[in-house]
Amino acid sequence: MQRVRLFARVAGLVVVVLVGVGACALDPQTEGAGVTTPAPVGLTEGASGASAPPTPERSATSPSAQPSRTATPKPSRSPSATASPEPTPKPSRSTGCPQGEHQRAVESYLSRLGGFGTLTVDGAQSAADCSAIKKFQIRYGISPATGRAGPTTYDVAKRLAGTNVSRCGAGSHLTFCVDLTRQTVWAMRGGKVVLGPTVTRTGMSGYATPAGTYSVGGRNPREWSNPYEVWLPYWQRFNGGIGFHETTTYLHNGAIGSHGCVNLLHRDAVRLWELGSIGTRVVVIGRRPGT
C-alpha cells in the first residue's frame, strides 16, 4: 500500500531584540545635576545605537538596519519657548526695509558684537542698519532674513552679546564650551576663541542637558539615532547618548528642544567637527531656562 499520510506542523519563532542607546536620549530619572564628571568614553568602549562606532556591518554612511520609515521625534512643548520664525512685515517707505519693535536694542547688540557692518544706534532703521541686520540673520539662520529687528533677532543678539567666554575655564588645549543659560556654544584654544560664540538649542524639559566637564568619546560624520529614527550629521558624543550635531529642525523654534543633545547650525556643526577629535574637552555650564 502506497498510502502515506503526513501531518506536520512547522513553527518558527525568531525574536530579535534591538537595544540602542540613541543620541539625545537621556533618561530624566537618572540625569546628573552637573556636579559629577563622567569619565570620557573611548572608542574601544562597547556601545550600540547612535553611540556605536562603525563596524563592517554598520558603516558611517548607512545604518545597521534600514528602518521602514524616517520620523523625527515629536517633543513636548517647553515652557521656555522663544519666538517662532519672524513674520514677514511690509517694508517701510523711507528705506525700503522693515523696522521692528526691537530696533534700537538690536542695533546696540550688533554694534557690540561687530562684524556685520556699520550701524547707527538711534532706534531708526536705515539702509546700513538693514544690511547689517540681514547679515546677522543669515549668519545665525533666522528666517525670514528681511532686516527687521523682531523678537527672534533680538533674542539671538542678546544671548550672543551676553555670553562671557571666560566662564568656560578653558585651558591651553582645545575646549568646546556650552552655555545652557544663554543657549550658546564656542570653542577656545590657548585662551583664544576659535569658534563663536554661536547659537545652539539643548535639551528640553524632561531631557535637560546636564552641566559638567566631559570629553568627546565618539565621532561620526553621519550617525543614525535608533530611538528617533533620524540621521545626526557631524556627530560628536561626549556624555552617554548626548553629543553635538547639526540640527534637523529650525533651530530657533523655542517651543521644542533636543533630547539632551547640543543642536547646531550646519556651518557651526561642520566647523566644530573640523576642530574636534577623540578626547577634546567639553565644558557645559548653566541650565536652560524652563528645564
Side-chain angles (χ1 to χ4, degrees):
M1 296 177 64
Q2 299 296 326
R3 300 175 62 186
V4 178
R5 295 182 178 179
L6 178 62
F7 296 93
R9 294 183 179 179
V10 178
L13 177 62
V14 177
V15 178
V16 178
V17 179
L18 298 176
V19 179
V21 181
C24 307
L26 181 64
D27 185 351
Q29 300 302 320
T30 59
E31 204 168 76
V35 295
T36 59
T37 303
V41 183
L43 278 178
T44 57
E45 180 179 351
S48 61
S51 298
T55 63
E57 290 76 29
R58 182 180 183 276
S59 67
T61 57
S62 60
S64 57
Q66 184 65 31
S68 58
R69 61 185 178 86
T70 299
T72 54
K74 298 180 179 179
S76 58
R77 285 190 163 268
S78 167
S80 60
T82 57
S84 297
E86 303 195 344
T88 304
K90 295 181 179 180
S92 61
R93 294 180 180 178
S94 58
T95 65
C97 191
Q99 176 167 322
E101 60 270 41
H102 299 286
Q103 183 71 31
R104 188 182 184 89
V106 169
E107 290 169 352
S108 177
Y109 288 136
L110 265 60
S111 294
R112 287 167 56 185
L113 290 169
F116 299 99
T118 303
L119 297 98
T120 303
V121 184
D122 58 3
Q125 183 73 291
S126 68
D129 294 339
C130 179
S131 175
I133 295 172
K134 280 183 179 179
K135 289 179 182 178
F136 177 80
Q137 291 169 331
I138 292 170
R139 166 60 183 92
Y140 294 108
I142 299 170
S143 179
T146 61
R148 178 179 182 272
T152 302
T153 301
Y154 166 78
D155 176 67
V156 172
K158 180 180 179 181
R159 285 156 44 200
L160 291 172
T163 297
N164 182 356
V165 298
S166 65
R167 290 189 62 212
C168 182
S172 58
H173 297 292
L174 178 67
T175 301
F176 292 165
C177 308
V178 183
D179 185 336
L180 298 173
T181 305
R182 290 172 179 79
Q183 294 288 280
T184 53
V185 166
W186 65 100
M188 300 188 72
R189 180 190 285 125
K192 296 182 179 180
V193 176
V194 293
L195 168 68
T198 187
V199 289
T200 186
R201 182 179 59 199
T202 60
M204 60 186 167
S205 180
Y207 297 91
T209 306
T213 301
Y214 312 96
S215 294
V216 172
R219 284 161 45 91
N220 196 335
R222 193 165 180 251
E223 183 77 2
W224 178 253
S225 172
N226 282 342
Y228 307 115
E229 298 184 328
V230 65
W231 286 107
L232 307 175
Y234 306 103
W235 168 250
Q236 297 190 80
R237 171 171 53 86
F238 63 84
N239 179 17
I242 298 175
F244 298 96
H245 66 81
E246 179 182 341
T247 184
T248 58
T249 58
Y250 181 59
L251 189 73
H252 301 295
N253 183 357
I256 63 175
S258 75
H259 289 82
C261 282
V262 180
N263 295 167
L264 298 166
L265 295 170
H266 171 75
R267 65 180 290 174
D268 297 322
V270 171
R271 183 58 182 144
L272 210 67
W273 169 266
E274 293 171 343
L275 289 169
S277 62
I278 298 299
T280 296
R281 185 167 178 254
V282 179
V283 176
V284 183
I285 59 175
R287 188 174 184 88
R288 178 178 173 174
T291 63

